[in-house]
C-alpha cells in the first residue's frame, strides 16, 4: 500500500492496533503522509518500522507527530535499525516525561553515545569524591546566587581533571545552560540530573550501539 493511502486509512481506521511496516522501503518522504494519519489516530498501539531506509529526519518527524497527538495510543515504535542523532534522543526524553511507558528502540553511533554519557561520567566523578552536583556548584557560588557562569564551571571541571573530552564538556554545558545565557542556574540542573538518572536504565535498554 502506498504511504498516502496508508495515511488516509490511519485517519479513518478505529480498530487497527498493530501495523508492521518492517522492510517496506519506507523512507523519510514516505513518513510524511504516514504521519498525517498518525496525527489523529487514537487506536494504533504498535508501529514497526525497522529495516527501512529511514534517517534521523524521518524519525524526528515521526516522534514529533506522536508527541503532538494527545490521543495517540502508541505504546511501541520500533525504529531499531534507524541511526538517530542527539536531537532525537533529547526529544524522546521530553516525550517520556508525559509518556514514560512509550517504548522506542533505536540505534545510535558511538559518537552520539559518548556525548549522551557525559552526565554519567560527571556524576561518577562526584560520587568518587563523595559530592553531589549541588555541592560542586555551591563550591563555585561564593555569593550564594544559585547561579554559576559557564566559564567558571568549565574551568572547575578542567581543573578537577574530570574524564570528559572537550566535546563532552561543551555538550554538558549546553545541557546545563539551555537558554544560552552563559550562566547556569544549578537548582534547575539538579532537577534535570535527577530525571536523567532515573531514565538511564531505559536509555541503555532501548539503544543499539554501533
Amino acid at each position: 500500500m502506498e504511504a498516502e493511502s496508508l495515511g488516509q486509512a490511519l485517519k479513518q481506521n478505529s480498530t487497527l492496533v498493530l501495523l508492521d511496516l518492517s522492510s517496506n522501503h519506507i523512507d523519510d518522504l514516505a513518513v510524511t503522509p504516514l504521519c498525517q494519519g498518525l496525527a489523529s489516530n487514537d487506536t494504533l498501539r504498535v508501529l514497526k518500522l525497522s529495516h527501512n531506509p529511514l534517517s534521523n529526519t524521518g524519525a524526528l518527524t515521526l516522534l514529533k507527530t506522536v508527541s503532538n497527538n494527545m490521543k495517540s495510543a502508541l505504546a511501541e515504535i520500533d525504529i531499531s535499525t534507524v541511526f538517530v542523532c542527539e536531537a532525537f534522543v533529547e526529544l524522546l526524553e521530553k516525550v517520556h516525561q508525559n509518556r514514560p511507558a512509550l517504548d522506542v528502540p533505536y540505534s545510535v553511533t558511538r559518537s552520539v553515545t559518548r556525548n549522551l554519557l557525559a552526565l554519567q561520567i560527571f556524576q561518577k566523578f562526584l560520587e568518587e569524591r563523595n559530592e553531589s552536583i549541588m555541592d560542586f556548584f555551591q563550591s563555585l557560588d561564593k555569593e550564594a546566587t544559585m547561579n554559576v557562569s559557564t566559564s567558571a564551571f568549565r574551568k572547575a571541571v578542567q581543573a578537577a581533571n574530570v574524564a570528559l573530552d572537550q566535546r563532552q564538556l561543551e555538550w554538558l554545558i549546553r545541557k546545563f545552560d539551555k537558554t544560552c545565557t552563559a550562566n547556569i542556574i544549578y537548582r534547575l540542573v539538579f532537577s534535570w540530573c535527577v530525571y536523567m538518572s532515573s531514565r538511564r536504565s531505559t536509555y541503555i535498554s532501548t539503544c543499539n550501539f554501533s
Side-chain angles (χ1 to χ4, degrees), residues 119-136:
L119 176 61
Q120 185 176 341
I121 293 170
F122 184 51
Q123 289 178 315
K124 183 178 180 181
F125 164 80
L126 293 174
E127 289 171 3
E128 291 172 350
R129 296 190 0 165
N130 198 29
E131 282 186 61
S132 68
I133 285 181
M134 289 293 284
D135 293 333
F136 188 87

Side-chain angles (χ1 to χ4, degrees), residues 149-191:
S149 70
T150 54
S151 60
F153 175 75
R154 184 184 291 106
K155 290 177 181 178
V157 170
Q158 292 171 335
N161 293 317
V162 182
L164 295 169
D165 62 30
Q166 190 63 33
R167 185 176 176 182
Q168 287 175 316
L169 176 56
E170 295 306 320
W171 181 89
L172 198 58
I173 289 173
R174 290 197 302 274
K175 298 298 104 182
F176 288 174
D177 179 25
K178 290 183 178 294
T179 55
C180 299
T181 59
N183 280 289
I184 299 171
I185 304 174
Y186 56 86
R187 173 180 54 81
L188 301 180
V189 167
F190 177 75
S191 299

Side-chain angles (χ1 to χ4, degrees), residues 3-188:
E4 290 81 1
S5 300
L6 188 56
Q8 288 298 320
L10 284 172
K11 286 182 181 180
Q12 302 167 5
N13 194 285
S14 60
T15 57
L16 186 68
V17 295
L18 188 154
L19 180 59
D20 190 349
L21 295 175
S22 305
S23 304
N24 257 288
H25 305 289
I26 303 292
D27 58 13
D28 293 343
L29 290 176
V31 162
T32 300
L34 179 64
C35 284
Q36 291 173 355
L38 292 173
S40 58
N41 184 277
D42 59 2
T43 58
L44 190 68
R45 293 189 54 80
V46 179
L47 176 61
K48 295 183 177 293
L49 286 167
S50 64
H51 298 93
N52 281 300
L54 277 173
S55 73
N56 180 72
T57 300
L60 271 173
T61 301
L62 182 65
L63 187 58
K64 287 177 182 177
T65 300
V66 173
S67 65
N68 289 334
N69 180 2
M70 303 305 294
K71 295 183 178 180
S72 175
L74 275 169
E76 178 186 345
I77 305 172
D78 182 2
I79 52 171
S80 54
T81 57
V82 179
F83 283 87
V84 301
C85 297
E86 291 173 20
F88 178 90
V89 180
E90 292 167 4
L91 176 59
L92 185 57
E93 291 169 8
K94 294 179 182 178
V95 172
H96 275 148
Q97 293 179 22
N98 295 320
R99 303 180 63 179
L102 180 63
D103 183 21
V104 186
Y106 56 86
S107 295
V108 290
T109 62
R110 293 197 181 277
S111 61
V112 172
T113 304
R114 185 167 60 247
N115 281 354
L116 295 172
L117 292 178
L119 176 61
Q120 185 176 341
I121 293 170
F122 184 51
Q123 289 178 315
K124 183 178 180 181
F125 164 80
L126 293 174
E127 289 171 3
E128 291 172 350
R129 296 190 0 165
N130 198 29
E131 282 186 61
S132 68
I133 285 181
M134 289 293 284
D135 293 333
F136 188 87
F137 278 106
Q138 286 174 343
S139 69
L140 304 177
D141 183 17
K142 305 302 182 183
E143 298 181 3
T145 62
M146 297 298 289
N147 289 272
V148 171
S149 70
T150 54
S151 60
F153 175 75
R154 184 184 291 106
K155 290 177 181 178
V157 170
Q158 292 171 335
N161 293 317
V162 182
L164 295 169
D165 62 30
Q166 190 63 33
R167 185 176 176 182
Q168 287 175 316
L169 176 56
E170 295 306 320
W171 181 89
L172 198 58
I173 289 173
R174 290 197 302 274
K175 298 298 104 182
F176 288 174
D177 179 25
K178 290 183 178 294
T179 55
C180 299
T181 59
N183 280 289
I184 299 171
I185 304 174
Y186 56 86
R187 173 180 54 81
L188 301 180

